[in-house]
Amino acid sequence: MATKPPKGDPVQDAPQVAEPKHAAAGLPAIGHTLRIAQQQMGVKRTALTLLRVNQKDGFDCPGCAWPEPDHRHKAEFCENGAKAVAEEATLRRVTPEFFTAHSVADLATRSGYWLGQQGRLTHPMHLPEGGDHYEPVSWERAFDIIAEEISALGSPDEAVFYTSGRTSNEAAFLYQLFARELGTNNLPDCSNMCHESSGSALSETIGIGKGSVLLEDLYRADLIIVAGQNPGTNHPRMLSALEKAKANGAKIISVNPLPEAGLERFKNPQTPQGMLRGAALTDLFLQIRIGGDQALFRLLNKLILETNGAVDEEFVREHTHGYEEFAEAARAADWDETLSATGLSREEIEEALGMVLASERTIVCWAMGLTQHKHAVPTIREVVNFLLLRGNIGRPGAGVCPVRGHSNVQGDRTMGIFERPAPAFLDALEKEFGFAPPREHGFDVVQAIRALRDGEAKVFFAMGGNFVSASPDTEVTEAAMRRARLTVHVSTKLNRSHVVTGARALILPTLGRTERDLQGSGEQFVTVEDSMGMVHASRGRLAPASRQLLSEPAIVCRMARRVLGADSKAPWEEFEKDYATIRDRIARVIPGFEDFNARVARPGGFTLPHAPRDERRFPTATGKANFTAAPVEYPELPEGRLLLQTLRSHDQYNTTIYGLDDRYRGITAGRRVVLVNPEDARTLGVADGSYVDLVSEWKDGVERRAPGFRVVHYPTARGCAAAYYPETNVLVPLDATADTSNTPASKSVVVRLEAAPEGRPETRPEARLEQSATD
Ligand SMILES: Nc1nc2c(c(=O)[nH]1)N[C@H]1C(S)=C(S)[C@@H](COP(=O)(O)OP(=O)(O)OC[C@H]3O[C@@H](n4cnc5c(=O)[nH]c(N)nc54)[C@H](O)[C@@H]3O)O[C@H]1N2
Ligand SMILES: Nc1nc2c(c(=O)[nH]1)N[C@H]1C(S)=C(S)[C@@H](COP(=O)(O)OP(=O)(O)OC[C@H]3O[C@@H](n4cnc5c(=O)[nH]c(N)nc54)[C@H](O)[C@@H]3O)O[C@H]1N2
Ligand SMILES: [Mo]
C-alpha cells in the first residue's frame, strides 16, 4: 500500500501549531526522510537510490545547487534531497487511464499537492481544441502539432521557450540552439524569478554574474554572513559546511526577519556527537525588517569608512572604480533612518561591525531574502561594496556567495538560456553553426506573461517547471495562459500548468535524473554546474518510469528536426544519438569548456574559470570592480498593514508539495497559515488561531485576495509577516518587480488582514475538500 497516492484531496488544511524548533537535522530528520522515501519508492528502491545521490559515479541530487565536498560521505544527501529523489523515483504512475478518469476541469479543482502525489507521467498526452480530456498521442503526432502551431505564427517571437533549472547542460544548450535557429531569444527561465537580481548586480560590479567562492573558501573564512536564506530547509548540506567553518574558527552572522532553526543549531546526522548535541551556528542574529538589508550594509559601509585602517586601500586603488562617489553616499548614511529601516538596535549593529572589523576574510551568502524585492539589485550591489571595501573578493576565504536554487539553474544560464544573451555568445554560436542568431532581446518571465495576456505570444513551451504556479499574480497568469494557442510541457510529474492550458496542450513526459538514459550510441550521462561553478557528470541508474519516456535532449532534437526541417544547420540526429557530440560543440562555443569531454570524465569534474576569484581580474565595462552609489531604499508600510514575504515550508520543493508540515517552524497538517509578530497581531486585533483573508494592496488599485489563512503568532520582525508560496502568489502583482532584474518582488508584498468572513477554510468553496471519486 505504501506507494498508493492519498485518496482524497488534502488541499483542506487544518494547521496545527507548536513551538518552533531551535535546531535542524539530526535523528528526527532521518526518520522523516526514510518514511517519505519509502512511501513513494518502497524499501529496496529507497536504499538503492539514496546511496547513489551525489556520489562521483552517481547522479546529481535534483534537490539544490549546493556543491559536493571532495571527500564524500556514503550518504551525501540530506533530508530534503532525499524527498526530491523520492518524488522523482516514486513507483506511482499517471497513465492514460488516469486522464480518461479525470477531465481537465476536474483536475483544475485539485490542489498542487494532490496533482503531484499522483506519480510519474508515463505517456505523451494531447488536449485537443475544445476537448475536455487529455488523450494519448504518439511522439510523432506531438511534434507535428508543435510544428503546425509554430508555422502558423506571424513571427518566431510569438513563441516562448521557458526553462526550469533542472535541465542538464546538454539539453539546455540544444534548447537555446533550437530557439535561436528558429529565430527568437524568448528564453525566460526560473532564474528570472530567483537569482536574476544577483546576476544583474554581480555582472555590473564584478563582471561575472556568479558567486566567487568555493567550498574551501567557506572552510577558511573568519566571518560568514548569511542574509535572506534558510539553509536548514533549502540547502541542508550547507549546514555541514557552516559547521566545518565554525570548527575552523569562523563566526556567523545571520540576517533574517525569522529565527530559522537550521541557522541556530545544526545536528549533523553524519557524526555521532553531531546527532547528540549539535553545533550552535549563529553567533549574532540580526532580526532585520523585510527589505532593510541595503540600509544595514550601507551603514556598515559608513562605519568601516570611518574606522582608521579598516579600508583595504591598496585593493581599492588597484582593483576598483567609483570609490569616491560611493564613499560620499555611504558617509551620508543615517543612524536613525537605518534603525527604523532595519528594526535593529544600535548595539546590534555595533556588535556586527566589531565582527566585521575583526575578520580578515569575509563571505556573504544570500538567497531569496535579498533577491525578491523592488530594490534587490541595489541591495546586492551594496553587499558588493561592503566586500570590496575590505578587499574581500578574489582572496581565499572571502567573497560573494549567492546560493542558487535549482540544481542546474546556473548551468542553464551558462549554456545560453537567457533572454538577453551577450553578443559574444551569439557570435560564437553563429561561427560554430553558420546561422545568424536573432540579436534582439527576448521576453523574461514577467514580459512573457504580459505577451501571452496581450495576445502577442501564442505558443508557450516549457522545459520543466510549473510556470503557472511559480509565476506571480496567479489569476493574471492563468488567464494569460488560457489565451495561448498551444501550451506544451516537458515534465516528469503532473502539475497545475498542465491543467491551465492554451486552446491545445501537450504533456511530454521525460526522464528524471535518477533514470538510465539509453541512446543510439549506448548509455548516456549529462552534466550540471553547481552553485560554485563546478561542472560534473550525472548518471541515472534506475529503469525509466515508463518505456514511452524520451530524454530532454531527445525531445529537443526531434522537435528541432520536425520544426526546422532539412535546412537546419545542426546535426540533431547525431546529437540525440551521442551526447558527447553536444559537449564537443559546447566546448567550442562556451569559454571555460575547452576539452569538455575529457575533463568531465574525471571523477568530480572540473571548476569553471572565474576571473575575479582566480586572478582578481574584473571583466566589467571599466575593467575594474565597480563600487556603486544607489540611493538607499526600503519598503514603506502604510498604517495597519504588514509586509508579507512568500517563502518555502520544510515540506515542499518550490511548487511541489511533499507534505503539509513545516517541522522546524512548528506547523503541521496545513499550509494556509500566516506568521505574524504577536505585538503586531495585538495592534491589528488578530488572535492566534483566528482566520483571516490576506489582501494585497498595490498602486493599480486592484485588490488581490488569498482567503482563509490561520493566524500564527510567531517571532518574526515587527511589521513583517510570512506565508507560503505558491498559495500566496495570487497576491504578488505582475508589475511589482525588482528594478533592473525584473524579478517579482515576492518577498515584499503590502497586505492587510481581514477577518475571514466565512471562518475556517473548509467551509469555503476555494478550499473545499475534494473527496476524490477516483480510486
Ligand atoms: N527543500 C527545498 N530546497 C530548495 C527549494 C525548496 O523549495 N525546497 N527551492 C530551491 C530554490 S529554487 C531556491 S531559489 C532556494 C531558496 O532558498 P531560500 O532563499 O532559503 O528560500 P525561501 O524559503 O524563499 O527563504 C527566504 C529566506 O529569506 C528570509 N527573508 C525574507 N525576506 C528577507 C529580507 O528582506 N531580508 C533578509 N535578510 N531575509 C529575508 C526568510 O525569512 C527566509 O529565511 O532553495 C532551493 N532549495
Ligand atoms: N511567491 C513566490 N513565487 C516564487 C518564489 C518565491 O519565493 N515566492 N520563488 C521563485 C523561484 S526561486 C523559483 S526557482 C521558481 C520555480 O519555478 P519552476 O522551476 O517553474 O517550478 P518548480 O516547482 O521547481 O517545477 C516543478 C515541476 O518541474 C517538473 N520537473 C521536475 N523534475 C524535472 C526534470 O528533471 N525534467 C523536467 N522536464 N521536468 C521536471 C515537474 O513536472 C514538477 O511539477 O518559483 C518562483 N516563484
Ligand atoms: Mo529558485
Side-chain angles (χ1 to χ4, degrees), residues 463-672:
M463 185 55 82
N466 181 2
F467 188 85
V468 161
S469 295
S471 296
D473 228 346
T474 313
E475 283 176 27
V476 175
T477 297
E478 293 197 348
M481 267 329 219
R482 292 191 197 279
R483 283 204 66 187
R485 279 288 314 152
L486 172 70
T487 50
V488 186
H489 286 86
V490 178
S491 309
T492 51
K493 304 284 294 276
L494 193 62
N495 66 45
R496 183 145 181 96
S497 299
H498 303 128
V499 300
V500 178
T501 68
R504 311 165 87 177
L506 288 164
I507 299 176
L508 306 181
T510 194
L511 294 176
R513 285 274 170 80
T514 52
E515 289 162 327
R516 198 177 309 128
D517 184 353
L518 203 58
Q519 303 294 345
S521 70
E523 208 172 298
Q524 307 295 312
F525 66 88
V526 292
T527 61
V528 293
E529 173 186 343
D530 67 30
S531 199
M532 295 181 177
M534 279 277 305
V535 178
H536 63 87
S538 172
R539 193 189 291 271
R541 308 274 175 168
L542 294 178
S546 133
R547 296 168 69 137
Q548 298 286 324
L549 304 187
L550 286 184
S551 73
E552 291 183 351
I555 290 173
V556 180
C557 289
R558 294 186 191 192
M559 170 166 73
R561 281 169 62 196
R562 179 66 189 81
V563 174
L564 302 173
D567 295 342
S568 173
K569 305 285 187 192
W572 299 104
E573 229 164 322
E574 182 186 314
F575 286 158
E576 177 177 345
K577 204 164 132 202
D578 181 359
Y579 298 174
T581 65
I582 311 172
R583 286 186 289 273
D584 284 338
R585 300 304 184 113
I586 294 173
R588 291 209 285 269
V589 171
I590 302 175
F593 285 84
E594 298 77 15
D595 214 9
F596 191 6
N597 274 307
R599 286 196 294 157
V600 83
R602 289 180 215 145
F606 62 96
T607 305
L608 289 173
H610 187 288
R613 180 193 67 211
D614 303 336
E615 35 179 327
R616 277 202 162 171
R617 190 168 57 76
F618 298 93
T620 61
T622 62
K624 307 255 176 182
N626 291 318
F627 279 104
T628 48
V632 171
E633 289 176 66
Y634 46 89
E636 302 267 338
L637 199 55
E639 219 13 67
R641 307 297 187 267
L642 295 172
L643 205 54
L644 176 79
Q645 60 154 321
T646 59
L647 80 181
R648 292 155 174 80
S649 85
H650 193 64
D651 264 4
Q652 74 184 83
Y653 193 91
N654 299 337
T655 69
T656 299
I657 311 302
Y658 302 136
L660 301 180
D661 299 346
D662 192 5
R663 203 173 66 244
Y664 297 149
R665 298 196 184 106
I667 291 155
T668 48
R671 294 177 47 86
R672 291 184 89 83

Side-chain angles (χ1 to χ4, degrees), residues 170-462:
E170 289 75 3
F173 183 78
L174 295 183
Y175 187 52
Q176 63 80 33
L177 179 65
F178 163 71
R180 294 196 165 111
E181 196 175 355
L182 180 69
T184 183
N185 281 316
N186 286 343
L187 287 158
D189 70 344
C190 69
S191 196
N192 297 147
M193 302 183 262
C194 182
H195 266 293
E196 197 67 61
S197 305
S198 309
S200 298
L202 293 176
S203 356
E204 189 194 316
T205 54
I206 66 166
I208 172 168
K210 300 181 184 183
S212 73
V213 302
L214 300 173
L215 265 184
E216 295 70 51
D217 292 308
L218 281 158
Y219 304 152
R220 289 202 216 171
D222 295 329
L223 174 65
I224 301 171
I225 301 180
V226 183
Q229 195 199 343
N230 177 23
T233 284
N234 298 313
H235 305 91
R237 287 180 302 116
M238 178 175 170
L239 298 185
S240 314
L242 292 179
E243 184 191 33
K244 192 158 169 186
K246 282 224 72 164
N248 293 345
K251 298 262 187 258
I252 296 175
I253 300 179
S254 39
V255 187
N256 203 308
L258 297 174
E260 302 284 27
L263 284 169
E264 289 181 66
R265 183 169 281 276
F266 172 48
K267 295 190 175 172
N268 190 341
Q270 285 156 344
T271 62
Q273 78 277 39
M275 293 286 266
L276 285 175
R277 283 179 288 113
L281 290 181
T282 292
D283 296 279
L284 175 65
F285 171 41
L286 298 179
Q287 186 162 34
I288 197 161
R289 286 215 171 121
I290 289 175
D293 305 81
Q294 189 199 5
L296 171 66
F297 281 101
R298 178 62 61 89
L299 183 72
L300 286 172
N301 288 339
K302 168 196 170 92
L303 300 174
I304 293 170
L305 284 166
E306 288 171 352
T307 308
N308 253 340
V311 174
D312 183 340
E313 283 171 9
E314 195 192 322
F315 175 81
V316 168
R317 203 172 41 243
E318 299 276 308
H319 296 290
T320 71
H321 175 269
Y323 174 75
E324 288 308 328
E325 202 188 330
F326 152 73
E328 195 184 317
R331 285 198 190 96
D334 180 66
W335 266 105
D336 289 338
E337 189 186 15
T338 310
L339 297 184
S340 94
T342 60
L344 300 170
S345 70
R346 196 176 176 112
E347 295 67 38
E348 287 171 318
I349 295 181
E350 281 169 349
E351 192 179 343
L353 177 70
M355 292 166 73
V356 169
L357 294 175
S359 164
E360 289 295 312
R361 293 175 293 267
T362 301
I363 291 174
V364 182
C365 302
W366 72 87
M368 297 305 100
L370 293 202
T371 65
Q372 298 175 330
H373 300 287
K374 177 179 182 294
H375 60 308
V377 176
T379 298
I380 296 162
R381 285 193 201 137
E382 201 61 34
V383 170
V384 173
N385 289 337
F386 167 80
L387 290 169
L388 291 178
L389 262 186
R390 289 179 48 77
N392 277 313
I393 294 190
R395 169 200 284 174
V400 281
C401 183
V403 183
R404 304 280 160 176
H406 266 303
S407 52
N408 197 39
V409 61
Q410 187 160 315
D412 290 348
R413 187 53 69 83
T414 307
M415 291 299 120
I417 301 293
F418 194 22
E419 74 283 356
R420 292 173 284 137
F425 175 83
L426 296 178
D427 294 343
L429 214 54
E430 180 158 6
K431 184 156 166 266
E432 177 65 24
F433 291 98
F435 68 90
R439 299 277 160 167
E440 223 163 274
H441 289 174
F443 299 137
D444 62 17
V445 162
V446 166
Q447 292 162 339
I449 296 167
R450 288 190 191 125
L452 288 160
R453 177 195 65 192
D454 301 340
E456 286 161 19
K458 301 193 178 81
V459 169
F460 177 88
F461 187 103

Side-chain angles (χ1 to χ4, degrees), residues 91-103:
L91 292 168
R92 301 174 189 163
R93 297 290 178 265
V94 172
T95 59
E97 293 72 50
F98 172 91
F99 289 102
T100 311
H102 295 276
S103 68

